[in-house]
Amino acid sequence: MFANLKVSEIAPNPDQPRKFFDEAQQEELTGSIKENGLLQPVVVRTVEGAEVPHMLIAGERRWRSCQAAGLEVIPAMIIEDASEEKAYVLSIAENVNRSDMTIMEEAGAYADLKAAGWTPAKIAKQFGKTETHITWRLGLLTLRPEVAEMVDKGDIKNNLAWHIAQLSPANQMVAAMRYARGDFDSEAEAQHFANGLKMMENQTSLTGEKAPDAEVQEERKKAKDKAKDSLSKAEEILIPLFEELGAKRPEDLAVILDDDLARYVRVVGKIYSQVQLVRNLLSKAKGIQRAMEDQFNKAAIEAQQEAAATQKTNAAGKPAAGEKPAANTTTKPTVKKAAVAKPASKPAARTATGAKAPVRRASAKKVEEAAK
């Protein structure tokens, strides 16, 4: 049902999935409404017994701009008997594909539906998304607030954000800050670094691992030498070869290669695929290596801090030069008091004395037998 409602008779939805409204875009919309009026009605539902009779389902930006433009009455579509869940679903549907809805707002909206019993598959079907899209968005909710803000601002791309979200809060900051300061040549490198940190988290303590035996060390050395030899050959042979071919004109190659041209196109295509595969593997390896360096550096810092704290504690316990050790002056009175104040300590002393007597007697007996 459509009706003209007073702006004052409409209240915003406190559960609105969108929390951020761009000021510049809001001012632009206000200017448009001042010139042309509200062209698209807001969507509301009736709230029985409420101080304000209608609550927004969709169109909060338009409602805000109407207020700013000084409009008193605006067109609205009233949805009767709309439950809170239905109203929330309609509100998400209206906003989810808008470019100005942030990724974290979208994730939060899906999380609310999931909390209400919706499965990712049902959410995906409702809003025309894939189930993977919904799952990845939900995965972002483990981001610590500082990193989530970077994602909302666009400082961290969506795919990288998901990889960072899989990390512990401390490592999330490590990956996010290193990406923000430009430590990586590409987003893919940053993802590989985040995955490397995840591998380190899943492994046992690096200091607790056993040192490899001689046989394992020899195998590793052979593998290293073989890999380095293969990459060196590729560097020495393939790069100059392709540089030479790349300098030729297509019409020259057409004549030079003649009937073999089609075959070499396929060969180079296979080489290209393998190069891409190896490049991706090396990039992942680089990410893991960086993560390992970070973990070792962190462990080294922690060890240094622990050593410094121990040294400080030991220094605090040592007497100053020229002073008698505090332990000598306090230990003796304590022992004496214990002997006087606690009768129970006397049997213990007797036991100790009694325990020594057989030893002395046994020694005397052995001396006597030896003398005989």
Side-chain angles (χ1 to χ4, degrees):
M1 179 178 74
F2 288 91
N4 290 323
L5 299 176
K6 291 182 179 180
V7 173
S8 59
E9 293 178 341
I10 302 172
N13 183 0
D15 295 324
Q16 156 75 265
R18 288 179 61 196
K19 308 300 180 187
F20 172 77
F21 295 91
D22 185 88
E23 291 184 9
Q25 293 181 359
Q26 196 71 48
E27 289 177 4
E28 185 179 338
L29 179 59
T30 300
S32 174
I33 289 175
K34 282 181 180 179
E35 291 294 326
N36 307 302
L38 182 61
L39 302 179
Q40 182 182 358
V42 297
V43 182
V44 301
R45 66 186 178 96
T46 304
V47 184
E48 297 292 341
E51 185 177 346
V52 181
H54 301 97
M55 182 178 290
L56 278 168
I57 292 177
E60 183 168 339
R61 284 184 68 246
R62 280 166 275 154
W63 175 76
R64 287 175 179 236
S65 288
C66 286
Q67 283 185 313
L71 300 185
E72 295 184 359
V73 178
I74 59 174
M77 182 174 75
I78 303 173
I79 297 181
E80 301 290 349
D81 301 325
S83 65
E84 289 188 7
E85 182 173 305
K86 182 179 179 181
Y88 190 66
V89 170
L90 291 173
S91 181
I92 297 173
E94 200 243 353
N95 288 293
V96 75
N97 290 316
R98 292 182 180 272
S99 60
D100 54 353
M101 184 181 194
T102 71
I103 186 173
M104 298 308 298
E105 287 175 343
E106 183 186 355
Y110 296 151
D112 289 339
L113 292 177
K114 187 179 178 183
W118 289 50
T119 63
K122 183 178 178 181
I123 297 172
K125 183 178 180 181
Q126 180 71 37
F127 302 111
K129 306 290 184 182
T130 65
E131 190 172 347
T132 301
H133 176 93
I134 304 300
T135 303
W136 275 55
R137 289 294 185 269
L138 291 172
L140 297 177
L141 296 174
T142 57
L143 286 172
R144 55 187 294 166
E146 304 94 324
V147 182
E149 186 177 353
M150 294 172 72
V151 175
D152 262 347
K153 289 180 178 179
D155 296 336
I156 296 177
K157 302 289 181 61
N158 300 350
N159 287 340
L160 175 58
W162 185 88
H163 288 277
I164 293 177
Q166 311 311 305
L167 301 172
S168 66
N171 278 336
Q172 285 181 19
M173 284 305 297
V174 171
M177 295 311 297
R178 289 196 61 173
Y179 177 73
R181 74 187 186 193
D183 284 1
F184 309 106
D185 294 334
S186 66
E187 186 180 347
E189 276 196 14
Q191 288 181 15
H192 294 156
F193 174 72
N195 293 338
L197 287 178
K198 187 62 180 177
M199 287 180 63
M200 295 301 102
E201 289 179 0
N202 291 336
Q203 287 181 358
T204 56
S205 172
L206 295 174
T207 56
E209 293 181 358
K210 293 181 179 179
D213 56 27
E215 185 178 350
V216 172
Q217 288 182 354
E218 184 61 26
E219 288 178 359
R220 288 182 180 178
K221 184 178 182 303
K222 288 180 180 179
K224 179 180 179 180
D225 292 342
K226 185 177 180 181
K228 289 176 68 176
D229 184 55
S230 299
L231 290 171
S232 296
K233 286 180 180 177
E235 185 178 8
E236 293 170 6
I237 299 172
L238 290 179
I239 292 178
L241 172 63
F242 283 115
E243 285 178 347
E244 182 183 349
L245 288 172
K248 296 186 181 299
R249 298 183 304 169
E251 52 268 33
D252 293 335
L253 289 173
V255 174
I256 294 170
L257 296 177
D258 196 23
D259 295 339
D260 292 325
L261 180 58
R263 183 169 70 87
Y264 282 118
V265 168
R266 291 194 297 271
V267 169
V268 172
K270 288 181 180 180
I271 293 173
Y272 176 78
S273 298
Q274 290 301 313
V275 168
Q276 289 290 91
L277 175 63
V278 173
R279 186 183 185 282
N280 190 44
L281 286 172
L282 291 176
S283 181
K284 288 180 179 179
K286 187 177 179 182
I288 294 170
Q289 187 181 67
R290 282 174 165 175
M292 290 175 68
E293 288 173 357
D294 266 31
Q295 292 297 98
F296 277 117
N297 291 338
K298 186 190 298 184
I301 291 172
E302 290 174 354
Q304 289 174 357
Q305 291 174 342
E306 185 178 347
T310 303
Q311 187 177 3
K312 187 177 180 181
T313 303
N314 292 340
K318 290 181 179 179
E323 289 185 4
K324 292 182 179 180
N328 293 342
T329 59
T330 57
T331 305
K332 290 180 180 179
T334 305
V335 173
K336 288 178 180 178
K337 286 180 181 178
V340 174
K342 296 183 180 179
S345 63
K346 292 181 179 179
R350 285 197 298 270
T351 304
T353 305
K356 290 180 181 179
V359 175
R360 287 198 295 271
R361 285 197 297 271
S363 300
K365 187 176 180 181
K366 286 182 179 178
V367 171
E368 186 180 348
E369 288 178 354
K372 286 180 182 181

